[in-house]
Amino acid sequence: AEQDAKMEKRFAEQDAKFEKRFAEQDAKFEKRFAQQDRVLFLHTWMLGILVLTLAVPQLQTWLS
């Protein structure tokens, strides 16, 4: 019974350690994905501006 209690305590400590590490890793990934979302949003806007800048004058020349 004493050895079982010792093992249970050790497993509980290991579980807590793993949960802490997974939570830290999850926080890192969430931060990284948030940064990637902002960059993707910015790139989308930049691409849209480029398309408007290049396509609108070309369409005006074709239509006139």
Side-chain angles (χ1 to χ4, degrees):
E2 187 179 315
Q3 199 168 23
D4 284 343
K6 207 185 246 187
M7 291 299 283
E8 286 297 321
K9 180 182 175 188
R10 185 142 189 208
F11 285 138
E13 289 171 352
Q14 288 294 328
D15 285 345
K17 186 177 178 181
F18 283 132
E19 286 177 15
K20 180 182 174 188
R21 291 179 95 184
F22 286 138
E24 289 171 354
Q25 199 73 340
D26 191 38
K28 285 181 187 177
F29 284 134
E30 288 298 323
K31 182 180 177 184
R32 196 172 196 183
F33 287 139
Q35 289 173 345
Q36 290 296 327
D37 285 344
R38 284 193 301 266
V39 169
L40 181 61
F41 182 75
L42 177 64
H43 287 172
T44 302
W45 272 99
M46 289 169 60
L47 182 60
I49 290 171
L50 281 172
V51 167
L52 285 175
T53 305
L54 297 174
V56 170
Q58 188 64 40
L59 286 173
Q60 285 177 339
T61 59
W62 286 346
L63 295 174
S64 20

